[in-house]
Amino acid sequence: MTGGPVVRPYGDSTGDGMVQLSFTLPVPHDKRAEGAALQLAAKMGVDPATLVHARQIGDRFTFFVVYGRVNHLVDLSTVRVVERDFPLLSPKEINALIRRRLRRKLSVVGACIGTDAHTVGIDAILNVKGFAGEKGLEYYRELAVTNLGAQVSVPDLVAAARAARADAVLVSQVVTQRDAHLHNVREMSAAFREAMPADRRPLLVVGGPRFDETMAEELGVDRIFGRGTTPREVASYLVHRLVGSAAPGGDAAAARARVAG
Amino acid sequence: MSQGWSPVSAGDGGSPGGKLGLDPALVRRARELARRAGEPVVELARSHTTVSVERAVLRLAGVSGADPDGIPWVNRLVDAVVADVGLAHGAALPVFDAMVREFGPPSGWSSDPGAAVTLLAQKAAAGSVRFRMPTGRAARSARAAARRAVGAGLRRIDRRRAERERLVRRYGDPPHRPWIYLIVATGDIYEDIPQAQAAARAGADVIAVIRSTGQSLLDYVPEGATREGFAGTYATQENFRLMRAALDEVSRELGRYVRLTNYASGLCMPEMAVLAGLERLDMMLNDSMYGILFRDINPIRTFVDQRFSRQVHARAGIIINTGEDNYLTTADAVADAHTVTVSQLLNEYFAHEAGLADWQLGLGHAFEIDPDLPESFRLELAHALLARELFPDAPLKWMPPTRYMTGDVFRGNLLDGFFNLAGVLTGQGILLVGMMTEAVATPWLSDRDIALQNVRYVMRAAGGLHEDFVPAPDGFIQRRAHTVLGEAVSLLERIVDQGLLTAIAEGTFGIMRRPADGGRGLDGVVARADGYYNPATELLEAQMAGARTGGGQS
């Protein structure tokens, strides 16, 4: 029935299934409130649950911390994620591949679109300073980077991509209230589809901490990168898709996001 | 409140170099350079006006309300003036000339000039009034009528200020420093109100209602009570009034005056300042360069709007909060620490020039150094103490970590604890409460409660530690502060040489590059013609001049 290893949470010994959980209920703190917290935990599959902390907030709310054993299992063979489907290259290899195969600089345009003013993501990928000990894309000799900064409108982004003859457009979205990040990305991909024929359209790459990496197709973009993505991963992906990486089987057609398992 | 904010300067026996042994001559030189960098920009502000400045003047004269599409009548009125005669002479003369022509001499409508001028705006929007530039006698009577109507608006602001002073005397200021500043941001004013009241009961001294994302890019102020916003609640006059009334209620209950903060930033800075004064807000975010750097608003538009808005804040007794913390969300908090100092000095110069006193300067700075960096906390202390000692009489707004808040709420809570500790150790005036769920979601009720517990613990456990905290002479902290001040002076020298607008265009602050002829709102900037008339500026500057010669607070 199950194909792969099965896991459950680890507290301090294998298989104990222990989790911690915190939440607030809209009731003042009393015996009944504690009972309600334990009942909620039980319904969530935490059994037995221990209430380790309860504290009233204002006169109508109580905050709880619960520790307990969950009765759920995870079969790792059924877990579906987007695995990295391109080889991770060094800056030197990336520069060399672009020089050899493209024979010009690869043009990258980046921006935060919509009203989002958080340039932290796009700067981490593009600025020389970089992220997680890796230098940003501006550091790569063979990449020509245009960082448009924050609050760039979609028409301005399209115009800038055209002016820079962008091979790739990188868009970062941090603010997610009311799914603003999803609306903005859909608007962006639609604008590029409308403005340019498919064979001239730059590669559209989106990043941000709250994106679901499997939604690329639905949002009309080529790739989504989630939290923790490093500049080198992005550069490797761009090279893989746009000039083809040296790895066997690395032709562009096979580069569509593969789903593991 | 006019005495110094700094427990540091009070506790060190008044030694000229303070705890950091700063060179007083270098500090004077830094201020002198900031003045020289700022003066040409002030000149620019004196020689231009903007649509928002003119709308603010007309709001002071009493224009209120909006058309059925939600566009304020004051926008419709200024648009009509622009179409007929332009703004180079200001809106007051053509508008009040039309008032006299439409409604007769002021004696007929001066009992309620607001209603009359709003009616004029409606007529102008319908196209039934034309504007002209009056001359001779007509100009003189238009001038007098405008001055009277705007003067009445300023007196309303004066009454709100007196009311605040009375309430502070009755209920008292918070018994501790720093003041605890907490953010509310639901998007719905009727949700904000109970949350703000709950936050005040839980210990908040200042409530800030975050604005809806993108409001700063609207070239009008929305009207009425609002229940829909993106990551914040629209700033409207009615929302201001509702929240102030709710906090008055809770101030009475708690026996402590709870302050209210909103934002004079974006394209409507001057109007926001007027509305804040009219509704007795107590603090306003108001930075000299934030709009330019982070909202891509045209630099000239920003400086013109900023000067007027700060003149109004000065009159209203509002404490401004500047935005230096924002630089550190894009630039590096160690390598670029001196850009914060430079911006604080520029903000101080622009604020004094506009008539604000030291007690009104909530200069910003933030705890944003990478926690993985060795000695990061000592560096934070050096930077925070430098700000404290450079501006001993300013309240200083101390902003929590955001950049290295990763979603690990446990580590985040620890980092916030260190931030709080740095705040009490260095005598900060206003402490914005950090949330361990920063970078995850807008704060939940429980997040706020846990964050406030963190602040209360640190203040109870170590509230007086600044008395014992004296960095070693020529030690790590002193040397770091001297380095940052030295770098700030060098940068100021460069800015004076090349000009502030060029420095901004080249990305000196917060990495953003913003040329003077780019950005939003440039089409709303107009060079003043000879004979430009702005009764608000006239009355505000007359008062400032009076205060100076009268030997009052500068």
Side-chain angles (χ1 to χ4, degrees):
Chain A
M1 239 177 39
T2 57
V6 168
V7 294
R8 60 194 323 178
Y10 183 104
D12 70 350
S13 59
T14 303
D16 63 13
M18 294 301 283
V19 297
Q20 58 178 17
L21 182 65
S22 69
F23 53 86
T24 300
L25 292 178
V27 287
H29 182 209
D30 55 18
K31 280 283 202 199
R32 195 178 60 135
E34 294 195 357
L38 286 169
Q39 191 183 110
L40 178 70
K43 286 179 173 166
M44 293 170 78
V46 183
D47 183 29
T50 312
L51 189 72
V52 300
H53 175 68
R55 176 185 152 84
Q56 186 162 316
I57 303 174
D59 49 11
R60 291 191 294 132
F61 298 92
T62 307
F63 176 69
F64 300 96
V65 179
V66 171
Y67 276 62
R69 174 189 168 89
V70 286
N71 48 35
H72 307 111
L73 303 173
V74 176
D75 178 349
L76 290 182
S77 69
T78 63
V79 175
R80 294 179 167 265
V81 292
V82 177
E83 295 274 16
R84 180 163 56 77
D85 50 1
F86 52 88
L88 193 60
L89 306 174
S90 73
K92 210 170 155 183
E93 291 169 316
I94 288 166
N95 284 329
L97 275 170
I98 297 173
R99 209 162 40 239
R100 202 166 61 237
R101 298 200 184 163
L102 200 62
R103 298 204 183 88
R104 61 170 171 84
K105 292 199 175 193
L106 191 149
S107 171
V108 178
V109 170
C112 290
I113 56 172
T115 55
D116 195 339
H118 297 78
T119 58
V120 128
I122 197 77
D123 287 344
I125 300 300
L126 295 184
N127 283 355
V128 174
K129 181 155 180 60
F131 171 66
E134 292 182 9
K135 293 268 199 287
L137 267 48
E138 289 177 341
Y139 170 76
Y140 290 72
R141 235 184 2 261
E142 300 300 327
L143 295 177
V145 173
T146 312
N147 186 350
L148 299 173
Q151 298 189 324
V152 177
S153 74
V154 167
D156 287 352
L157 177 62
V158 173
R162 208 192 289 275
R165 295 171 174 275
D167 297 297
V169 169
L170 269 49
V171 159
S172 156
Q173 292 279 273
V174 173
V175 171
T176 57
Q177 273 81 13
R178 298 183 194 216
D179 288 339
H181 60 313
L182 304 180
H183 297 306
N184 289 342
V185 168
R186 281 196 190 96
E187 187 194 338
M188 188 266 301
S189 62
F192 274 99
R193 270 199 305 280
E194 204 164 290
M196 301 170 186
D199 56 328
R200 305 249 310 277
R201 191 162 55 80
L203 200 65
L204 301 179
V205 178
V206 170
R210 298 275 162 258
F211 280 106
D212 175 348
E213 294 193 342
T214 63
M215 282 180 75
E217 200 159 348
E218 194 185 330
L219 295 179
V221 299
D222 295 288
R223 180 79 181 204
I224 293 174
F225 285 107
R227 75 165 43 246
T229 303
T230 66
R232 191 173 145 212
E233 286 176 294
V234 175
S236 298
Y237 170 74
L238 295 181
V239 164
H240 176 74
R241 285 295 309 272
L242 292 165
V243 300
S245 47
D251 69 299
R256 282 276 156 209
R258 248 181 270 130
V259 175
Chain B
M1 203 160 55
S2 56
Q3 73 271 45
W5 273 79
S6 170
V8 178
S9 60
D12 66 11
S15 74
K19 288 186 175 185
L20 291 172
L22 298 177
D23 173 5
L26 192 62
V27 173
R28 269 198 306 279
R29 166 117 182 106
R31 282 212 159 78
E32 166 63 17
L33 287 166
R35 184 183 64 73
R36 278 168 52 198
E39 264 172 356
V41 168
V42 170
E43 211 29 65
L44 206 62
R46 283 177 184 279
S47 56
H48 290 78
T49 188
T50 71
V51 286
S52 182
V53 166
E54 299 302 326
R55 293 196 301 256
V57 171
L58 294 173
R59 283 186 184 273
L60 278 169
V63 181
S64 62
D67 72 11
D69 294 330
I71 302 301
W73 290 120
V74 74
N75 285 62
R76 304 294 307 266
L77 181 54
V78 167
D79 289 349
V81 171
V82 168
D84 286 357
V85 294
L87 281 183
H89 292 84
L93 282 181
V95 164
F96 280 85
D97 169 66
M99 292 283 287
V100 175
R101 283 186 289 125
E102 287 292 314
F103 306 130
S107 54
W109 45 265
S110 60
S111 62
D112 190 356
V117 73
T118 302
L119 183 61
L120 184 85
Q122 291 161 354
K123 286 176 163 237
S128 63
V129 180
R130 307 296 294 182
F131 295 95
R132 60 167 196 186
M133 275 316 301
T135 54
R137 206 168 136 194
R140 280 195 299 280
S141 63
R143 228 176 149 94
R147 190 188 297 123
R148 199 155 45 235
V150 169
L154 287 175
R155 279 195 301 282
R156 279 169 66 201
I157 288 181
D158 293 341
R159 282 198 295 277
R160 302 314 304 269
R161 177 179 179 155
E163 187 177 49
R164 177 193 307 114
E165 286 162 359
R166 200 164 60 241
L167 290 172
V168 170
R169 273 198 305 277
R170 185 182 306 161
Y171 301 135
D173 272 325
H176 49 247
R177 299 266 177 83
W179 291 355
I180 299 171
Y181 179 116
L182 211 71
I183 285 170
V184 170
T186 69
D188 177 346
I189 188 65
Y190 294 107
E191 279 299 327
D192 289 343
I193 285 174
Q195 292 219 12
Q197 290 181 322
R201 287 186 189 109
D205 302 311
V206 184
I207 299 291
V209 181
I210 294 283
R211 297 202 299 188
S212 177
T213 298
Q215 180 170 3
S216 51
L217 302 179
L218 298 179
D219 211 341
Y220 66 93
V221 181
E223 275 284 316
T226 65
R227 312 199 64 166
E228 292 265 302
F230 291 90
T233 306
Y234 282 103
T236 73
Q237 183 168 10
E238 179 63 7
N239 287 349
F240 287 0
R241 190 187 68 75
L242 290 167
M243 185 57 89
R244 188 57 268 175
L247 293 183
D248 281 348
E249 188 186 304
V250 83
S251 297
R252 196 157 49 236
E253 172 194 318
L254 296 171
R256 146 172 81 81
Y257 184 71
V258 180
R259 284 177 169 77
L260 175 58
T261 303
N262 211 288
Y263 293 69
S265 59
L267 289 169
C268 293
M269 238 172 162
E271 294 171 89
M272 285 297 171
V274 165
L275 297 178
L278 290 172
E279 300 303 335
R280 195 183 6 103
L281 268 61
D282 306 282
M283 292 188 188
M284 291 295 273
L285 277 285
N286 183 307
D287 189 80
S288 61
M289 294 187 287
Y290 173 82
I292 303 169
L293 299 174
F294 293 90
R295 298 288 176 186
D296 196 14
I297 293 173
N298 173 259
I300 301 171
R301 170 82 180 249
T302 299
F303 284 120
V304 176
D305 284 353
Q306 179 230 154
R307 182 166 187 265
F308 184 90
S309 66
R310 287 186 175 189
Q311 290 177 330
V312 174
H313 287 328
R315 176 80 169 227
I318 280 175
I319 294 176
I320 63 165
N321 295 178
T322 60
E324 284 82 358
D325 51 290
N326 293 286
Y327 302 162
L328 302 182
T329 61
T330 50
D332 183 84
V334 177
D336 297 315
H338 62 291
T339 63
V340 168
T341 308
V342 166
S343 172
Q344 288 166 338
L345 288 160
L346 289 170
N347 261 312
E348 179 194 51
Y349 166 73
F350 288 129
H352 283 164
E353 195 281 327
L356 288 159
D358 281 330
W359 65 266
Q360 291 175 288
L361 307 187
L363 298 172
H365 58 144
F367 188 94
E368 290 283 23
I369 297 174
D370 183 349
D372 287 338
L373 199 72
E375 310 295 354
S376 67
F377 187 65
R378 292 168 90 192
L379 290 165
E380 295 285 8
L381 289 175
H383 298 174
L385 202 54
L386 176 63
R388 179 70 287 165
E389 301 227 323
L390 283 177
F391 309 100
D393 299 317
L396 296 189
K397 168 127 171 262
W398 182 226
M399 303 285 286
T402 61
R403 191 173 183 174
Y404 293 97
M405 298 298 271
T406 58
D408 177 348
V409 297
F410 304 102
R411 185 175 189 254
N413 202 31
L414 177 64
L415 209 56
D416 280 334
F418 270 64
F419 158 77
N420 294 332
L421 181 60
V424 301
L425 265 180
T426 58
Q428 303 299 315
I430 303 161
L431 181 140
L432 195 147
V433 178
M435 297 288 153
M436 73 283 190
T437 45
E438 178 77 42
V440 177
T442 45
W444 291 355
L445 185 79
S446 55
D447 301 336
R448 218 177 278 136
D449 189 65
I450 289 166
L452 278 169
Q453 285 183 59
N454 188 331
V455 173
R456 274 199 302 269
Y457 166 69
V458 172
M459 282 174 61
R460 248 201 319 263
L465 195 56
H466 57 82
E467 291 173 19
D468 311 303
F469 173 56
V470 183
D474 204 33
F476 181 90
I477 287 177
Q478 280 206 357
R479 285 201 311 272
R480 176 62 192 163
H482 294 180
T483 303
V484 174
L485 180 59
E487 287 172 355
V489 167
S490 306
L491 177 57
L492 279 165
E493 281 165 350
R494 225 176 70 217
I495 292 171
V496 169
D497 278 349
Q498 65 182 168
L500 182 56
L501 290 176
T502 310
I504 291 170
E506 292 184 354
T508 302
F509 301 96
I511 300 182
M512 314 276 183
R513 292 180 182 85
R514 303 298 193 200
D517 59 354
R520 298 173 167 99
L522 178 60
D523 53 356
V525 180
V526 181
R528 294 187 193 178
D530 285 342
Y532 169 82
Y533 183 62
N534 180 333
T537 304
E538 179 187 68
L539 291 165
L540 290 165
E541 291 184 354
Q543 189 221 10
M544 278 162 54
R548 284 204 187 102
T549 54
Q553 293 168 338
S554 64

